[in-house]
Amino acid sequence: MAWRYCHKDALPFSAMVAVECINVGLNILFKASNLKGLSYYVFITYTSAIVTLVLLPLVFIFRGTTGLPTLKWPFINRIFLLGLIGFLAQLCAYKGIEYSSPTLAAAIGNLTPALTYILAVIFRMENMALRSSITQAKIIGSLVSISGASVVLFYRGPTIISPSQSLSLSLHSPRGTSETKWVIGGLLLAVENLLFSGCSIVQTQVMKIYPAEIVVVFSCALCVTIISAPVCLMAEGNLLAWTLRPDVALVTIIYSGFFGSSMSVVIAWVLHLKGPVYVSIFKPLSIVIAAAMGVIFLGDALYLGSLVGAIILSTGFYAVIWAKAKEELRKDYCCGSLGSSSDDKTPLLNSYKFEGM
C-alpha cells in the first residue's frame, strides 16, 4: 500500500516540483551567464547538440523494444517544421530573458494554454459552442490570461522586495532593466509561447503519424541542431564567443543539455501515469520559484505589477485547464471509457514545455 501511494502520488508530485525548479533554474543560470557574456546563439546551438547526443541511445533502445512504423515523408516534413518552430521559439525565449527577467518568463509561460486554445480554434481543432459553459470558461480564461500578461508587461508599480546586494551574485546590471527593454522582452516571450503553442498543434499531428514520443523529441532536437548550427554561426561571427571556459556559461550549457533531455522523459512518464491535466497544474508554481531565485541569485527586484499580473495570469490559466479537463471527462463519460483517455492528448492539454528543449 505504501509503495503504491509512493509510486502513484508522491513520486509524480515530487517529479513535477523538481521539473519546475530545474526549469526555472535553467533560466536563472542563462540570465547569469548572459550577463557574463554568453551569447544566446552559442547557448542554443551547444544545448541542442547535447540534447541530441543524450537522447540518441534512448532512441535505439526505444525502437528495439517496440514495433514502430518506418519513417515517411509526411513525418519528416512535420518534424522539420517542429524543429524550425522550436528554434525560433528558443531565439525569442532567450532574447526575451536577456531583455527582462526569469520571473517574467515564468509568468508569461502561463499564456501557453490560452494561446494553444486560440490557435486550435483557428485551425478548427477545437469546437467553439458559445452556449456551452466549457467554451465560455475557455474564452474567459484566455481573455483573463492575456489581461494578466498585459499587466505584467505594461505596469511595474512600486517595488515589493528590494534585494540585498549581499545575497545576490552581483550579476545584475547596475542600471536595471529599462521599461522599453522590459516590454520588448515580454513581447518576445509572448511570441515564444505563441510559437510553442503552434508546436503543440503540429506535434499532435506528428504523434498520430508516428506514436513514439522519444523518437519525436530526438528528431526535433536533431532538426533544431541542424538548423541552429549554420544560422547561429552566421549570426554570432565572433569566434571567441564559441570558445567555452570552465565557468558559469559551461555549467549552464551542460545543465540545459542533460536536464533538458532527462526532464522530457520525466514529463512523458508523469503524462502517462497521471495525465496531462496533472502536469499542467504545476506550471504557476514556476512564478513563485522564479521570483524567489531571481531575488536571491540575480539581485532582481519584485514589483507589484509582476505579482498582480501573475495572479491574474494564473487565474486565467486554471480556468482554461479546468474547462479542458471537464471536456475530456465528458468525452470519456459519453464514450463509456471514464478515466482511460490520458494517452489521447489534445493540443491544449499537451501544452507543457521545458525550456532546455
Side-chain angles (χ1 to χ4, degrees):
M1 182 66 69
W3 165 247
R4 184 176 181 181
Y5 166 78
C6 182
H7 177 70
K8 292 290 185 180
D9 295 296
L11 278 180
F13 179 85
S14 302
M16 289 311 304
V17 172
V19 164
E20 293 300 336
C21 291
I22 291 170
N23 201 5
V24 172
L26 166 61
N27 289 339
I28 296 289
L29 276 173
F30 171 77
K31 182 69 174 183
S33 302
N34 181 256
L35 292 171
K36 287 290 188 179
L38 175 65
S39 167
Y40 64 99
Y41 294 117
V42 175
F43 174 77
I44 291 172
T45 303
Y46 282 148
T47 298
S48 301
I50 293 175
V51 170
T52 304
L53 291 175
V54 171
L55 288 175
L56 182 60
L58 296 178
V59 172
F60 287 103
I61 295 172
F62 187 77
R63 282 188 64 105
T65 57
T66 58
L68 296 174
T70 57
L71 296 179
K72 295 182 179 179
W73 187 246
F75 171 79
I76 297 173
N77 274 341
R78 287 172 173 81
I79 282 294
F80 182 81
L81 180 60
L82 272 177
L84 179 60
I85 296 174
F87 170 64
L88 294 175
Q90 288 188 57
L91 284 179
C92 293
Y94 293 115
K95 191 63 177 179
I97 294 174
E98 178 184 329
Y99 277 174
S100 57
S101 73
T103 305
L104 183 62
I108 298 295
N110 286 274
L111 271 176
T112 303
L115 295 174
T116 305
Y117 171 66
I118 292 171
L119 287 179
V121 169
I122 293 173
F123 290 104
R124 298 182 180 180
M125 299 180 70
E126 286 272 346
N127 295 322
M128 194 171 179
L130 293 177
R131 293 184 179 181
S132 169
S133 60
I134 291 176
T135 300
Q136 291 170 3
K138 290 179 185 177
I139 295 173
I140 293 172
S142 299
L143 293 175
V144 170
S145 295
I146 294 171
S147 300
S150 300
V151 172
V152 173
L153 278 180
F154 300 110
Y155 174 70
R156 278 196 177 186
T159 303
I160 298 177
I161 299 177
S162 297
S164 171
Q165 183 69 21
S166 60
L167 290 176
S168 70
L169 296 177
S170 300
L171 292 171
H172 59 289
S173 170
R175 295 183 180 179
T177 303
S178 69
E179 291 288 344
T180 303
K181 281 192 173 183
W182 180 270
V183 172
I184 292 174
L187 291 175
L188 285 171
L189 291 168
V191 171
E192 177 247 342
N193 281 276
L194 180 62
L195 289 170
F196 180 79
S197 298
C199 230
S200 297
I201 292 175
V202 176
Q203 185 176 344
T204 301
Q205 300 300 317
V206 170
M207 293 303 297
K208 292 179 181 178
I209 300 173
Y210 203 85
E213 291 182 349
I214 297 298
V215 177
V216 170
V217 172
F218 165 77
S219 303
C220 183
L222 178 62
C223 284
V224 171
T225 304
I226 294 172
I227 294 170
S228 64
V231 173
C232 292
L233 278 170
M234 289 187 291
E236 182 56 73
N238 182 14
L239 295 180
L240 292 177
W242 295 88
T243 303
L244 297 179
R245 298 175 180 82
D247 56 11
V248 67
L250 181 60
V251 172
T252 302
I253 290 171
I254 295 175
Y255 177 99
S256 175
F258 278 92
F259 281 103
S261 53
S262 61
M263 285 303 100
S264 64
V265 177
V266 171
I267 292 169
W269 172 70
V270 178
L271 276 170
H272 176 74
L273 189 67
K274 304 291 284 186
V277 175
Y278 184 87
V279 171
S280 298
I281 63 176
F282 286 86
K283 191 61 183 172
L285 179 63
S286 63
I287 302 174
V288 179
I289 299 171
M293 287 182 136
V295 170
I296 295 172
F297 296 112
L298 293 177
D300 287 343
L302 181 62
Y303 299 97
L304 178 63
S306 297
L307 179 62
V308 174
I311 293 173
I312 297 174
L313 258 170
S314 299
T315 303
F317 171 89
Y318 281 124
V320 176
I321 293 300
W322 174 85
K324 192 59 189 178
K326 293 289 287 185
E327 184 181 58
E328 292 298 309
L329 196 63
R330 181 177 296 179
K331 286 180 180 178
D332 289 340
Y333 182 77
C334 293
C335 295
S337 56
L338 187 61
S340 64
S341 64
S342 62
D343 292 335
D344 185 19
K345 304 176 186 66
T346 61
L348 180 58
L349 288 182
N350 199 26
S351 55
Y352 189 92
K353 64 177 176 176
F354 187 75
E355 298 293 347
M357 295 303 292

